[in-house]
Amino acid sequence: MDSKREKDQDADHEKITAVLLKSRTGEFDLESILFLKLRNLGIHDLGCIGECINLERLDLSGNNITNLAPLASLRLLSVLNLSNNRVSNLEPLRTCDGLQNLNVAGNIISSIENLHCLVSLRKLENIRLKDNTYNYTNPVCRNSSYRVVVLEMFPNIKVLDGERVVGRGSDLYQLCKDIDDTIKAGLYKNGQLVEHPDCKPWVEDSYWEIKRSNNAIIEEAYKQFNDVLHECRLLNNRATHVISQTERSMSLKKQPKQYAI
């Protein structure tokens, strides 16, 4: 009986149902769901997900999804994570007008043409087709020029594959990336790590030490900050003690009463 129940529960997870959505969110009405995380549940059928018309953030990563048709009605959706699935067609997302952040790394998107359906999404500014952290990618990423083509196709894109390409921080990001590449190139020679025994620190050892100022105002502010920090620690200790007492008293109440006969 137990094994049959477990199989039924697994089957429920293969398809998104109203029961699954309500149990995951605690919401009675599907239209009230704004945020939803359904990761690594073995889902292959999105079922009634389209009834969550006010959904803003949706995480479906780590499933077996191939068909995105039920997502077409989610016009308020702003963040969608579909990484590590089996998606090849993004056409249903054409109507998700509010989409800003899309993660489809680790799928089977084979060509740039598969992305044309997203061009009309004017708010889309963050696309991820590849994630080196988890070794997720798509066949389209094998094309060495895919980044250039994607950036031309989506002029409003600010972040591609986790790398900021425009806006505040993009120049700094590129500079740091160039420095990293230069350092890595200099560390190795003929595949071997090159040691540099004569390397010295850029600054003196005491450079990063916090120096106390003689300014009376700063000294007073420093003292007040320490006083406030001390009071916070005291409050934290009191709160921990009260919580501990409350948990202990509640555990005693839950214990079954024993009667002597």
Side-chain angles (χ1 to χ4, degrees):
M1 181 66 71
D2 291 339
S3 60
K4 183 178 184 301
R5 186 180 297 110
E6 290 176 358
K7 290 181 180 179
D8 291 340
Q9 289 176 351
D10 292 339
D12 287 342
H13 284 174
E14 292 177 1
K15 179 179 180 180
I16 294 180
T17 63
V19 174
L20 174 62
L21 294 176
K22 292 176 182 179
S23 65
R24 285 273 169 172
T25 63
E27 297 285 352
F28 180 77
D29 187 357
L30 297 186
E31 295 184 3
S32 300
I33 300 175
L34 301 180
F35 311 105
L36 189 57
K37 182 181 292 186
L38 299 173
R39 304 174 62 180
N40 303 315
L41 295 178
I43 296 170
H44 65 78
D45 188 339
L46 293 177
C48 63
I49 190 72
E51 296 179 27
C52 304
I53 57 175
N54 292 312
L55 199 60
E56 296 178 4
R57 291 174 174 265
L58 176 60
D59 187 349
L60 291 167
S61 59
N63 288 291
N64 298 309
I65 299 167
T66 57
N67 183 12
L68 302 181
L71 301 181
S73 60
L74 305 182
R75 296 182 176 274
L76 300 182
L77 192 64
S78 62
V79 178
L80 176 59
N81 186 351
L82 287 166
S83 62
N84 194 23
N85 276 280
R86 296 189 291 122
V87 176
S88 60
N89 182 10
L90 300 175
E91 184 67 30
L93 301 182
R94 180 190 296 272
T95 55
C96 298
D97 303 323
L99 196 60
Q100 300 176 21
N101 188 320
L102 175 62
N103 186 348
V104 288
N107 282 277
I108 49 177
I109 299 171
S110 58
S111 67
I112 295 294
E113 284 69 26
N114 296 126
L115 303 176
H116 278 298
C117 58
L118 305 177
V119 172
S120 61
L121 303 179
R122 300 302 179 188
K123 295 183 179 180
L124 188 60
E125 58 183 28
N126 188 331
I127 299 178
R128 185 183 283 275
L129 293 164
K130 181 171 64 173
D131 190 337
N132 293 328
T133 303
Y134 299 101
N135 199 26
Y136 293 162
T137 186
N138 280 277
V140 66
C141 300
R142 297 171 187 166
N143 187 336
S144 58
S145 62
Y146 92 93
R147 286 178 57 85
V148 175
V149 177
V150 170
L151 292 176
E152 290 178 353
M153 187 184 303
F154 300 95
N156 295 328
I157 286 294
K158 295 181 179 179
V159 180
L160 177 60
D161 295 338
E163 299 180 5
R164 181 168 286 276
V165 294
V166 70
R168 180 179 296 178
S170 59
D171 293 338
L172 177 60
Y173 178 89
Q174 188 59 46
L175 176 62
C176 293
K177 188 173 184 297
D178 291 343
I179 292 175
D180 284 342
D181 293 340
T182 303
I183 292 175
K184 288 178 182 178
L187 286 177
Y188 292 89
K189 186 176 182 179
N190 297 327
Q192 298 295 325
L193 183 64
V194 179
E195 297 184 0
H196 298 278
D198 298 331
C199 289
K200 297 180 180 180
W202 293 358
V203 295
E204 298 177 358
D205 293 340
S206 60
Y207 181 83
W208 301 109
E209 293 180 2
I210 300 176
K211 297 179 175 60
R212 299 291 296 273
S213 172
N214 294 326
N215 191 311
I217 297 177
I218 296 179
E219 288 291 334
E220 180 61 24
Y222 184 81
K223 180 179 179 300
Q224 291 181 8
F225 175 77
N226 281 326
D227 291 341
V228 171
L229 192 60
H230 179 67
E231 291 179 4
C232 289
R233 290 196 181 102
L234 291 177
L235 288 173
N236 179 64
N237 292 337
R238 292 174 187 170
T240 302
H241 178 67
V242 171
I243 292 173
S244 176
Q245 284 186 324
T246 304
E247 290 178 344
R248 187 159 48 250
S249 62
M250 291 178 67
S251 63
L252 291 175
K253 289 181 180 180
K254 291 180 181 179
Q255 292 181 359
K257 295 181 179 179
Q258 298 180 353
Y259 298 95
I261 301 176

